[in-house]
Structures are given as structure tokens and as C-alpha cells.
Amino acid sequence: MAHFGVVAPAFYSHFNALEALGGELVARGHRVTFIHRPDAGQYVRDARIGFHAVGADTHPPGSLAESLRRAANPGGPLGLRRVILDMAASTDMLCRELPRAIDQLGIDAIVADQMEAAGGLVAEGLGLPFVSVACALPVNREPSIPLPVMPFAYEDSERARKIVDGSTRVYDWMMGPHARSIAANAARLGLAPRTGLHECLSPLAQVSQTVEDFDFPRRALPAHFHHVGPLRPPGIQHLPEQSRMPAIAAGRPFVFASLGTLQGQRFGLFRRIAHACRELDVQLLIAHCGGLEAPQERALEQAGATWVCAFAPQQAVLARADAVVSHAGSNTVMDAIAARTPILALPIAFDQPGTASRVVHTGIGLKASPQFASSGHMAKLLKRLLEESTFADNLERLSGSIAASGGTRRAADIIEAALQLRGVPREEVASLD
């Protein structure tokens, strides 16, 4: 059996998905250890999975919260640059610390999140096998596919290709500090030159939480890329004790609103959502993930929310909801598709603009600006989601794709086969599709 080291960005959503995968690997007899800055240990809740802290000199305990605040609210260009510098500093730290940790722990293989270059770089530099996992939209590039951070709709035309090319050049310029970190660490590890996340992916196996039918039409994914759908634990979820399922009344539509773990402090946006739901006379549950204070919770109830809480059992709530208002985070969107729940996407940061564009492209929801959409405009969009049957029809098709995708178990099958841990020849991994 193998000892897997897991390397991912220090975000709860990424750790949560990879913890589910790690739990499946542990159930098969493997060992799994997450490796990151000390504060990231709080995200590992499965007692069967290890955590090894590194980089305390540059990323000491207590420093993660400030990095997360910057990531959630970068503000203007200077703030965005600070977030990019944080990414570069994290990659530098991990590339410096991982080799020693891997040796100390006796790591045999790496599970590397696509959004943290250090996992792939160090594994390749040490000659360790590794698998890349896309917890968010895949970073794999194609000429006609907008980058995940871009809000563009898909269009198969020369004009669209020029827009994609131009926006990619702007993105690469803005990501200069991170690109220089990747280039410097690749050189230090004796690797071929590279500057982007898409150049740090596994040549053995790449798995994605998406399904093929949700993405824009892809033509150049490698043969070892696999859409496996949401990575979720098979049994009870590790939910905070205060998470609860409300007593939803029959006869009135029920809407769930969540902006994820990083954006839950956006009181003004939640208030507009509450006003929109009051206008429609629908039941509304807001889960702010600990981002609001008690007076703000009460104010949202006065504005039109039926219930306001820090945490809710998302999959169970989505199974009952008639619509969800979301920041278009990948986990929420995949869960909504699985539950056949139409989505009003309010993309804020990271790959959320690209995810929201795919929500519209596949006809499973609508999108609006979180900054400028009024409560009246949100009410109009929600009314369409609640009344128009086309969204349900499209969700039925996509939910079927997720049900057939294999999820966590298939991801573990692919990893074991790619690393030849079950006697399956590596060239036969494609047969798992």
C-alpha cells in the first residue's frame, strides 16, 4: 500500500474535496497525509488522515486568516497583486519545504491540486509519481476555451478565439509574480522551463470534479484526463454542530442562499437576496458560513429571510430547495446539479465567473452581477428559475451525468491504476471511463 502526500491551496473547499478522496484511499488500505502551513491543519477533520505542518518560519500559525481575507476581498489592482504575491509565496514555501517533509514522512506518491503548482513541481523534481486533481474548473488550456477566471460565454468563432487569446495574455501578465515563482522553482528542481499552472500537471492521470457535459466543448484534453464528478465522502459529512435543516413549509417555494466559506461576510448582497425573496413570497434559508454577526442575522430576517444560520447541511438542503442563489463555487454548483436545483449564480472571484458562464451555457441557471444586480432584478431571475421548466429539463440531463461519473470511488480507481497499485497496466487507465 502507498503513502500519499496531498498538496493543495489552503482553502477549505479544496481540502474538503481532497479529504473525501483521501478517505476513500485510506479505506483501501493506503495512508494519506496533507502537507501545508500550520493553520491549514484545521481543515483536515477525518481522524484517519494525517496532517504535517511545514513553513512555520514564513507562514506562522495565525497568518492564514489574513491571507484568506485578502483573497476574499482583494479590492483594487494593488489588493489583487497582494493576493497573487500570496500565491507565489505559498508556492515558494512548499517547493522549499516539501522535499524534506516527503523524505521524513516516507511519501510514495503525490495527489496534487491543480491550483497549487508546488505539488507537481516537487513530485516531478523528486521523481515521484503524482496525480493532478481539479477541485475547481480545470486549468488545462485550449485556444478556444476561456480561462476559468474569465466571464465569457463560449463561442466557436475567430472573434471569440481572439478574445480568449487577448484575455489570456492579460491574465498571464497579471500573474507575473506567480509565473516567476514557478519558473524559479522549476529551475531549482532541475526541470524544464515553465511558468503556468497548466504546465505543472500530471502525465499519468488528471481527474476533475466536473463532468464533461458541464464544461464548454473541449477538444484537446489529454487521454489521461478524467471527469469524475463531485468528490464527496460516502457517509456522514463533517459538518459543524450548529448546521441544521430548517422546518420547510409545504406549499411555498424554498430558496437556499450561500456565498461559500470565503464570501459569507457580504451582508449587503445577502440583504438584496432577502429582499428579492420577500418580493416573491418564498421561503429563504441563508447560510453565511460564519461570516456575519448575530445583529446582521436578525437584520436579514427582517429583510425577508425565513432562516439565517452560519452553516447548513448543503446537500440535504439543496435536495429540498426549488432554487439556489450561489457565488458559483464549484462545490455548490456540482451539488446543485446532483440535486436538480436551478442556480442563480452571482460570481465573485477565482473561477466563479467561468463556472457561472457554464451554468448559463448548459441552461441550468442564470447569472447576475453581485455588485450591481438590484433585488428587483434578482427577483425576476428567481421567478424564471422557479417557473420555467427548461431549467429542470437540463438539470435532469446533467444530474444523470453526475450520477454516472463515479465520483470519489472512480477517482481512487484511476489513481490506483495510474500508479500501478492494483496491478492494472497504466495504459489501461482509459478503460475506466
Side-chain angles (χ1 to χ4, degrees), residues 9-59:
F11 294 131
Y12 171 77
S13 59
H14 288 249
F15 268 58
N16 192 45
L18 291 170
E19 186 180 48
L21 177 56
E24 177 65 23
L25 291 170
V26 168
R28 298 179 181 209
H30 304 292
R31 290 181 62 195
V32 175
T33 302
F34 281 71
I35 308 171
H36 216 298
R37 60 194 295 168
D39 287 349
Q42 65 187 302
Y43 298 145
V44 180
R45 300 182 179 183
D46 188 332
R48 302 171 301 165
I49 295 175
F51 178 80
H52 184 81
V54 296
D57 54 340
T58 56
H59 295 72

Side-chain angles (χ1 to χ4, degrees), residues 129-131 202 204-205 413-421 424-426 429 432:
F130 72 102
V131 171
S202 172
L204 300 178
D413 288 342
I414 290 166
I415 290 171
E416 288 186 322
L419 303 184
Q420 298 180 310
L421 298 176
V424 179
R426 193 170 290 160
V429 175
L432 295 170

